[in-house]
Amino acid sequence: MPASKEKVTPPPAPLHITVVNGDLTFIRQPLLLGHYRSTRLSGAEGVMNNVLGGGMQRSLDAGLYPTQPGTHQVFVNTVGDPDNPWRLPRPEAVIVVGLGPEGELRAVDLVGTVRQGVLAWAQRRMEEPKVGSALELSATLIGSGGSGISAGQAAQLIAHGVREANEHLASAGWPPVGRLQLVELYEDRAIEAWRELRLQQAACPTEFAVDDAIDPSVGGLPRALDPNYRGASYGFISAQARQDPGLGTSIDYSIDTKRARTEVRGKTMQSDLMRELIAGAATDESTDTRIGRTLFRLLIPLEVTPFLIGTSEMLLEVDSGTAGIPWELLDVPSEGGDDLPWAIRSKLLRKLRTRQLRERPVDADVEASILVVGEPAADEKSYPRLPGARLEATAVAACLAGALGAESVRSLISPPDPTKKGADARTIVNALMERPWRVVHVAGHGEPPSKEVTGGVVLSKGFLGPSEIESMPVVPELVFVNCCYLAQRASESLLAEARPTHDLASFAAAVADKLIEIGVRCVVAAGWAVDDAAASAFATTFYDALVRGRRFMDAVEEARIAAHALGGNTWAAYQCYGDPDWTLNRSAGTQRVARSMEDEFEAIASSSSLRLALDTIEVGSTYQKKDNATQIARIEYLESRFGKRWEHEGDTADAFGRAWRAVGERAKAIEWFERAVAASDATASLGALEQIGNQRALLAWSMVERARGEGDDSKLREAVKDARADIASALELLGRMNDLQPTMRRAALLGSTYKRLALIETLAGRKDAAHDAVVSTVEHYAAAEKLGNEIGDDDVSYPGLNHLAAELVLNIGNEKWKGFAPGAAEKVRRRIEAKALSDPDFWTVVDQSGIVLLETLAAGTLAENGAKIETELQVLAGRVSTAWMWSSVRDHVEFLLLPYAAHASGPEKKAARSLLALVERLAGKR
């Protein structure tokens, strides 16, 4: 009997990979993104969240968002562009994969989480009735915006993850991913990714096929303004203890900030000496002002020092060997002579490196309440009363109740009467378990763990510690623990066995460790006994900042400043662990407070970096819909700080002009474009000359429009006079450029400028001048159409449509005119329809109505067809209401209908006036 032959699954075809340098918002394919554990969506995630109408942030707030490697969530894009509802949603979907905490992502984790994300999307596609032979997928350089993963490494690992997914898909008989498109905004990072992928292709030619070059796309930038790109706004430094046989303990530093991305090995420490120094520093009784500088010199290698100086936001990752160090006390020199301590001016937060995180903890939602415990009942023989703890808790409860409402805060605080005790253990534990608490604040006695006791906040019976909080069905997002460490008792009884005397900083770190393990997002724990007044100032300032929508990092900074102003070292006692971007008031917190302009643009040290900053602003306004007021403020800052220094460089002035143009400030744009072309270094582009003419014409027409809207005839006459002169200047400049080298764009700019001149002269009642302007409009749009046809330009329908419109206006009232040349209107119509099929937008849709209007006016049948045209425009306005778009439509319709209505009579005149009134309303004018 012949042996049975097993069915062999053929290996997948090579994965075709393209690296794109461009903006994410133009990507059509499903987009794969990675998410480091955080409560804020930044970078590419933030952009896509806006594209999807906020659905990703809502998932994050609900605790459904993927955070750990291997987790994933698919967001199908059902939200269209409000300015372009005809185009299919871009991207088709967003697939988010978890990356875990920053700094802990391993290569195998990245490959695995990408694989699972791809399989999840493939499964979703298989649920659809029609699936092609191969899937297409796009992805960012996942993981490279954090610590430890370069752009090139990310590209290789993503490719491996997709390749592994294809193997699984092939064995299941499902269509594989045939093409992977890696999208990167910055060209230098895109090139790095492409190079590493080409090396990978050389090593595995049957598995990968990488394009011969990167693909430049819309909105790409040459590089990031910051020399070391990070997806997060804060710097990241890891300090990990390492035991060297025979050498003792040393600290390895990993640096990922705007100033560096590198690893530096620390020098070996004398452990006994370091423990003695830490014990002396970590106490409220310490008055030695030199200890911070001593710790800095012993702990921080010279190579690391420059990256700490001047840091504005810093997340410090520690492990069990370095968590007990009072890093907050380090006296790091300041860059600008700032006398605030380094931990305050750098907004220092801690992050605990741990592998013991609870899988998928259930977080409290935004409706959960806040529990404040102050001076719980305890054995007074061993634990004296703490009026400071009671006062602190009372102030915190009042602060939160005043901001969030009394019903949102449960207070278990001892009464002012010293003969009455606070809440007992049963009351406190019952309260913890009775409902979800989003924040738990505790002020009372603390007992470190030992062989005899579990340790924690002292209660009437036992302790309130991490194990009790772990038993809560819903894990709080923030736990604030401020404990007095029994300074009146013998010091030997305060500390766990094998710990040095007064090792209170280590105890606070251990508390944070346990709380973070069970899923608490943010922890504040006092490392030593604190001054009552400073402690109250810290706590109330901290919570006041949170209820105002400030990030955890910003709230800690404000609290430290308030406590520091009162003297002593209480401000440094608080070890603050957690997500820098966590917010208590999420509705306010999702709109992050922007960094100061000085911090944002601190990397500018040359005119080339200034041009890059301006280019970044232009891209943000043109393609990413950045807030216009914020963008204007950025340009104003750059202009005030660097404008005088480099205004005589033509290419720099050109960049200022383009940035101002992108935010709609035409007068400022003209000013800078004129400086650009006047610069003696001749580095300005020819586009600067074109823009001088174009912006002058647009500004002139806008001045006339404003005067017309005010209804003041004298102002209108003055505006018309000024506009006529400005347009003459624009025409002279554009004409000289077009004579030098005719292009479709220049000819079309001349046509549009003459078109506006015709409108102005019509408003002024100068029929002959208006007629001459229309003649020139016809001439230049016809030339633009011819040039476009010769080179096969996809946008040739624009000058074609305007050529027909100007020809029509020129012949209104001309009985000898026989209409458009045979087939001319149909040719333009086919071009408009072809563009509407391939890439529809507002302009292609309105142009379809525009060609109908032209044919209707040419036939003199507006009274018959006008109502249908009005209905089409009203339907369009129901989908797109952007005022500036409809203003452009109004200008075009007025160019046609003002002369048409002047010659028409009866029903035709009435129909023309009705259509004019409609476009005026749609444009929001009069």
Side-chain angles (χ1 to χ4, degrees):
M1 184 175 180
S4 61
K5 294 184 178 180
E6 295 184 3
K7 184 179 179 181
V8 178
T9 302
L15 176 63
H16 191 163
I17 305 176
T18 299
V19 179
V20 177
N21 172 215
D23 185 80
L24 283 173
T25 56
F26 291 87
I27 300 303
R28 174 183 57 81
Q29 298 91 343
L31 178 64
L32 192 68
L33 296 176
H35 175 73
Y36 281 116
R37 191 168 189 260
S38 172
T39 53
R40 185 173 71 92
L41 302 179
S42 60
E45 284 184 283
V47 172
M48 286 298 107
N49 178 59
N50 291 333
V51 170
L52 269 61
M56 293 164 64
Q57 183 67 50
R58 288 192 291 273
S59 174
L60 182 64
D61 290 344
L64 303 174
Y65 207 70
T67 57
Q68 293 301 110
T71 61
H72 48 76
Q73 187 173 6
V74 176
F75 298 87
V76 176
N77 189 1
T78 60
V79 180
D81 185 341
D83 293 340
N84 190 11
W86 301 271
R87 177 188 290 168
L88 292 174
R90 295 191 179 192
E92 179 183 349
V94 174
I95 307 109
V96 182
V97 297
L99 302 179
E102 183 183 1
E104 299 181 21
L105 180 65
R106 300 175 300 167
V108 65
D109 295 331
L110 181 51
V111 171
T113 199
V114 166
R115 179 189 65 239
Q116 295 305 112
V118 174
L119 292 175
W121 172 245
Q123 182 181 28
R124 176 69 65 91
R125 288 300 307 271
M126 289 302 296
E127 296 170 357
E128 300 177 4
K130 294 182 180 180
V131 180
S133 58
L135 305 177
E136 289 189 355
L137 190 68
S138 57
T140 61
L141 297 178
I142 297 171
S144 64
S147 174
I149 302 288
S150 69
Q153 290 172 321
Q156 289 187 336
L157 295 172
I158 293 165
H160 271 297
V162 176
R163 178 69 184 176
E164 286 189 8
N166 277 351
E167 292 173 356
H168 286 269
L169 295 173
S171 63
W174 290 3
V177 176
R179 178 182 289 273
L180 171 64
Q181 186 172 254
L182 294 176
V183 187
E184 171 53 47
L185 179 64
Y186 300 114
E187 183 184 37
D188 58 344
R189 284 167 48 84
I191 291 173
E192 179 188 345
W194 175 82
R195 285 174 176 164
E196 294 299 319
L197 287 169
R198 294 285 287 185
L199 291 174
Q200 187 167 260
Q201 174 186 276
C204 308
T206 62
E207 297 183 5
F208 304 102
V210 183
D211 285 354
D212 291 339
I214 65 171
D215 181 13
S217 185
V218 177
L221 292 167
R223 61 178 176 84
L225 181 60
D226 291 338
N228 184 62
Y229 171 77
R230 272 182 57 77
S233 61
Y234 47 84
F236 182 91
I237 293 184
S238 177
Q240 309 296 315
R242 178 170 51 85
Q243 296 293 329
D244 289 322
L247 297 177
T249 304
S250 64
I251 299 178
D252 287 343
Y253 292 91
S254 177
I255 303 168
D256 193 356
T257 72
K258 292 188 298 180
R259 298 179 175 223
R261 175 174 289 190
T262 186
E263 292 187 1
V264 180
R265 177 165 295 182
K267 49 193 171 184
T268 303
M269 301 180 300
Q270 296 184 50
S271 299
D272 292 340
L273 173 61
M274 187 58 61
R275 288 194 187 99
E276 182 178 347
L277 289 170
I278 290 173
T283 170
D284 60 327
E285 298 175 354
S286 174
T287 58
D288 189 349
T289 58
R290 300 169 298 173
I291 194 69
R293 179 58 57 90
T294 301
L295 287 172
F296 165 69
R297 288 174 175 168
L298 289 174
L299 289 170
I300 306 300
L302 291 176
E303 307 97 303
V304 175
T305 301
F307 310 122
L308 303 185
I309 297 174
T311 305
S312 59
E313 295 185 348
M314 179 61 68
L315 184 64
L316 173 67
E317 182 187 53
V318 294
D319 62 6
S320 59
T322 58
I325 297 173
W327 297 96
E328 292 77 8
L329 283 176
L330 290 190
D331 187 2
V332 179
S334 67
E335 198 169 42
D338 192 341
D339 59 357
L340 282 175
W342 172 68
I344 295 179
R345 63 177 188 266
S346 67
K347 300 184 183 180
L348 179 66
L349 286 186
R350 294 180 174 213
K351 173 185 179 295
L352 193 64
R353 187 178 186 90
T354 177
R355 293 287 179 183
Q356 305 297 322
L357 291 174
R358 178 194 283 186
E359 290 295 328
R360 294 186 173 273
V362 180
D363 291 330
D365 60 28
V366 293
E367 302 301 325
S369 301
I370 296 171
L371 177 64
V372 180
V373 179
E375 198 194 15
D379 180 4
E380 293 189 15
K381 294 181 180 179
S382 302
Y383 303 98
R385 296 298 296 268
L386 295 173
R390 174 176 55 79
L391 292 174
E392 175 193 315
T394 301
V396 166
C399 171
L400 292 171
L404 305 177
E407 69 282 358
S408 298
V409 181
R410 172 79 183 278
S411 299
L412 295 176
I413 304 173
S414 63
D417 187 344
T419 64
K420 296 181 180 179
K421 294 185 178 182
D424 60 19
R426 178 184 297 179
T427 302
I428 292 173
V429 173
N430 284 342
L432 276 174
M433 304 302 166
E434 72 182 10
R435 54 173 154 158
W437 302 105
R438 191 159 178 228
V439 176
V440 174
H441 181 100
V442 183
H445 279 295
E447 185 73 63
S450 67
K451 289 184 176 181
E452 291 75 25
V453 297
T454 59
V457 179
V458 178
L459 302 179
S460 60
K461 293 290 183 181
F463 304 92
L464 170 60
S467 59
E468 286 69 38
I469 292 179
E470 185 177 15
S471 300
M472 297 171 64
V474 176
V475 177
E477 292 189 356
L478 167 67
V479 175
F480 190 128
V481 181
N482 187 10
C483 291
C484 172
Y485 296 101
L486 317 180
Q488 296 180 8
R489 297 176 64 197
S491 61
E492 292 79 5
S493 66
L494 303 182
L495 307 165
E497 187 176 355
R499 288 193 181 275
T501 303
H502 295 302
D503 191 3
L504 303 179
S506 292
F507 173 62
V511 170
D513 186 357
K514 294 297 183 182
L515 292 173
I516 290 168
E517 281 184 9
I518 64 176
V520 178
R521 288 187 180 273
C522 300
V523 176
V524 179
W528 55 82
V530 295
D531 174 77
D532 289 345
S536 180
F538 184 98
T540 54
T541 304
F542 173 74
Y543 286 111
D544 177 69
L546 287 180
V547 298
R548 286 189 282 109
R550 299 284 279 166
R551 299 179 303 158
F552 179 58
M553 174 176 273
D554 299 320
V556 169
E557 177 203 23
E558 290 189 23
R560 284 174 174 158
I561 290 174
H564 181 265
L566 297 179
N569 65 7
T570 290
W571 68 269
Y574 294 97
Q575 297 179 7
C576 303
Y577 293 83
D579 179 358
D581 293 315
W582 180 83
T583 56
L584 176 65
N585 183 354
R586 284 179 181 159
S587 61
T590 53
Q591 298 297 323
R592 181 181 181 270
V593 178
R595 291 177 295 169
S596 69
M597 298 296 178
E598 183 176 354
D599 183 32
E600 181 178 359
F601 298 118
E602 70 170 355
I604 296 177
S606 65
S607 58
S608 63
S609 55
L610 172 60
R611 291 192 295 273
L612 179 59
L614 292 166
D615 289 346
T616 303
I617 292 171
E618 181 189 9
V619 168
S621 291
T622 305
Y623 303 115
Q624 299 171 357
K625 299 184 179 179
K626 297 284 189 179
D627 177 70
N628 209 52
T630 303
Q631 294 288 81
I632 289 173
R634 288 188 172 106
I635 305 173
E636 287 176 339
Y637 173 82
L638 294 175
E639 188 179 73
S640 64
R641 182 170 178 183
F642 304 110
K644 291 293 184 182
R645 180 187 295 271
W646 289 306
E647 65 181 345
H648 301 299
E649 295 184 7
D651 48 0
T652 301
D654 190 349
F656 267 115
R658 287 184 280 106
W660 281 119
R661 179 193 62 188
V663 298
E665 294 291 328
R666 294 191 178 106
K668 295 289 293 184
I670 293 169
E671 173 189 336
W672 278 101
F673 282 132
E674 287 176 341
R675 291 184 192 179
V677 299
S680 58
D681 62 359
T683 57
S685 66
L686 288 176
L689 278 169
E690 291 179 353
Q691 285 303 319
I692 291 173
N694 187 39
Q695 297 298 317
R696 280 179 183 170
L698 291 171
L699 183 60
W701 174 241
S702 68
M703 294 293 131
V704 173
E705 278 284 272
R706 185 178 296 116
R708 182 168 65 149
E710 293 177 0
D712 188 324
D713 290 341
S714 62
K715 286 185 178 180
L716 178 60
R717 286 192 296 272
E718 190 66 26
V720 166
K721 179 181 176 182
D722 293 341
R724 192 180 291 126
D726 289 339
I727 285 183
S729 173
L731 288 170
E732 193 273 333
L733 177 58
L734 291 171
R736 281 193 285 115
M737 291 192 67
N738 198 53
D739 291 341
L740 178 66
Q741 178 59 62
T743 66
M744 186 185 86
R745 173 179 171 78
R746 290 170 189 167
L749 284 175
L750 281 164
S752 68
T753 304
Y754 274 114
K755 179 179 173 180
R756 286 182 170 82
L757 179 60
L759 277 168
I760 290 170
E761 298 296 10
T762 299
L763 289 175
R766 300 194 347 155
K767 294 183 180 180
D768 291 343
H771 176 273
D772 292 343
V774 175
V775 170
S776 295
T777 303
V778 173
E779 173 189 346
H780 289 291
Y781 274 129
E785 185 180 19
K786 180 181 178 182
L787 289 166
N789 284 328
E790 290 174 354
I791 63 174
D793 196 298
D794 292 338
D795 291 327
V796 73
S797 60
Y798 166 75
L801 183 68
N802 280 279
H803 173 206
L804 294 179
E807 183 181 345
L808 173 68
V809 172
L810 185 63
N811 288 284
I812 288 174
N814 181 4
E815 296 181 357
K816 296 182 180 180
W817 186 55
K818 297 181 180 180
F820 301 124
E826 183 60 27
K827 187 176 181 180
V828 173
R829 186 200 309 278
R830 286 198 302 270
R831 286 174 177 148
I832 294 171
E833 290 176 348
K835 189 174 181 181
L837 286 173
S838 64
D839 193 19
D841 60 12
F842 173 85
W843 304 109
T844 56
V845 176
V846 80
D847 284 350
Q848 288 176 313
S849 297
I851 193 69
V852 173
L853 176 60
L854 286 177
E855 292 177 318
T856 298
L857 295 178
T861 58
L862 186 61
E864 179 182 344
N865 298 312
K868 180 180 178 182
I869 294 172
E870 287 188 23
T871 299
E872 290 177 353
L873 294 178
Q874 287 173 322
V875 170
L876 178 59
R879 304 190 74 178
V880 179
S881 58
T882 309
W884 73 267
M885 291 181 167
W886 283 104
S887 294
S888 181
V889 173
R890 181 203 59 215
D891 294 347
H892 180 73
V893 172
E894 286 185 342
F895 175 69
L896 293 169
L897 292 187
L898 287 177
Y900 186 85
H903 284 83
S905 60
E908 286 297 303
K909 181 185 286 288
K910 182 178 179 181
R913 287 177 174 173
S914 175
L915 185 52
L916 278 169
L918 173 64
V919 294
E920 290 285 357
R921 291 197 301 273
L922 296 180
K925 303 290 184 182
R926 293 185 296 285

